[in-house]
Amino acid sequence: MASTVPTQLRLGDVLKEAGYVTEEQIERVMEMQKASGVKKRLGEALIEYNVITEDRLNTALSRRLNIPYVSMSDAPVDLNAVKRIPKAVANKHCLIAIAVNNSVLRVNINDPLNYYAIEDVKLITHMQIEVQVCNRADIVRAISEYYSELDTQKAATGANEAVAGQASAFTYVDISESADDTPVVTLINSTLYKAHNAGASDIHIEPFEEHTYVRIRVDGQIVDYLTLSSSLHNSIVARIKILSGLDIAEKRAPQDGHFRAKLQDIEINVRVSSLPTVYGEKIVMRFMSQSTTLDHAGTFGMERDDYEKMLAMLQVPHGIIYITGPTGSGKTTTLYMVMELLAKRFVNISTIEDPVERTLARINQTQINPLAGLTFESGLRSILRQDPDIVMIGETRDAETASISVRAALTGHLVMSSLHTNDSVSAIVRLLDMGIEDYLLANSLVGVVAQRLVKKICPFCCEEYRPSEAELRALRADTKSLLRGKGCHNCNNTGYKGRVAIHEILAIDGTIRDYITSKAPTSEIYAYVRENNKLKSLQTSLRKLVLEHKTTVEELLRLTYFVE
């Protein structure tokens, strides 16, 4: 049977009952501790000021709580038990698991009245805890010894897997056939499965005073999914942190991790981010699906004319092509599809990304690691010494990365990257503002592809209606009917289901190069491409989708706000 510790019991009362200390001694120690400015638990303070020995303190606790007082040498330690508690938690609470029997975990702890420590272990392991009291020095020594042994085993296992060609950068969990059926594990598995089936890109787990809200982002829009008791929150966070390799004991700083999961026959990569809030840690899990369903999937999600324009740009032997748009506009998905096409050539392709969202065959992918000194800048410099033909940079974030990218494009490499700008022409201004010399940019830039994801009307609840005068003015067309979604269970009552990409592709020609070198204002470049039919704007594509009854005027106005 797992032992239970009375939650209202105080150490001072236990020691007074045993006759080891008096109330006056306790008060004097507390005053001395207060004067020193160093706050410690009462037991530590009593031992430090030589009021009681650790042996007497633990003997009193053992008798009063009816739990064993043991030495680490009394029984062998099971490493399968040790590894159930993260080392950081063991160090934080001075405890170590020594044995496991079915659903009961036996734990040696220095302070059995530390209820928070015991609750932490319960949340992490989802097991009943059998507590034994043990001397601090014994436990500290055991933590060092047994966790070192676990690290050695882990390193050996990792080496064997690497030799066998089975090493993985992700924690892998088959959640469709999990042997662990505890309520929290079942809840998380079910949420992952249902959210993925609903086409969600993100799962938000948000703590508040009385409830934890689970919301999912579907087609770019946040919708409510579950409301849970706040008492479940810490357990949910602990489980997700274990899956994604995060530090369970660290609750005051943001963390990022990832794991790979199997949902029925679909493998997904889940990126995890934690953020401290006033009511606890908020968790966001983002699906990096290995198989994204797209309209026009065979043409990078583009209309045929845009696709042919893109293919023409990819035929150049060297230069730089940017995919631009705000966060969540599908830039990385487009880059990956382009890389998969380019990998069919006899070329060497290297990427530098943050993070690697999907693994690609025959492509050398590198994930940045700032803690190890691997940044976009340093990684890109190293990649250029790896004899690449094509380089993909996940995102151009600063002047140094932009400068190296442009110089790489001028020295015989085809470079592709993403950039945060509202449209294709403004990417030129953005790069010049980063400090790129105009003559370098003019000679290296091949083209810019601006991209947006547009929500499609739900086919299950669409209805026809007569547009207002304001809508017709925004549409710049005369039509007697348009479509909109009423909202139904199929679309989570949003009126939209699925998204389609639109593109604005600017191919750089001689005239535009002259504009760049002369630092001409963007208005002149806009005027040139419009007058010479060089560019199909995002606005044009949006209005076309509305008239084709694929999206709504509401979506047109939302996106046009960013591009006009």
Side-chain angles (χ1 to χ4, degrees), residues 203-222:
I203 302 172
H204 292 243
I205 300 172
E206 303 169 328
F208 290 93
E209 189 170 8
E210 296 181 356
H211 296 98
T212 287
Y213 296 101
V214 180
R215 302 197 293 169
I216 61 177
R217 187 179 295 278
V218 181
D219 298 332
Q221 185 168 336
I222 285 278

Side-chain angles (χ1 to χ4, degrees), residues 161 166-178 189 192 239 242-245 258-270 290:
E161 289 177 346
Q166 297 174 347
S168 173
F170 306 97
T171 302
Y172 182 85
V173 54
D174 186 344
I175 71 171
S176 61
E177 297 179 1
S178 176
N189 292 354
L192 283 167
R239 170 63 177 170
I242 290 168
L243 286 176
S244 50
H258 47 245
F259 64 91
R260 183 170 289 170
K262 186 175 183 181
L263 301 170
Q264 302 296 359
D265 295 325
I266 303 170
E267 287 189 11
I268 57 169
N269 179 11
V270 182
Q290 301 284 66

Side-chain angles (χ1 to χ4, degrees), residues 11 15 40-48 52 57 111:
L11 178 61
L15 295 176
K40 294 184 178 179
R41 296 182 71 85
L42 179 59
E44 291 180 63
L46 289 169
I47 293 169
E48 182 179 336
I52 193 172
L57 184 148
D111 184 0

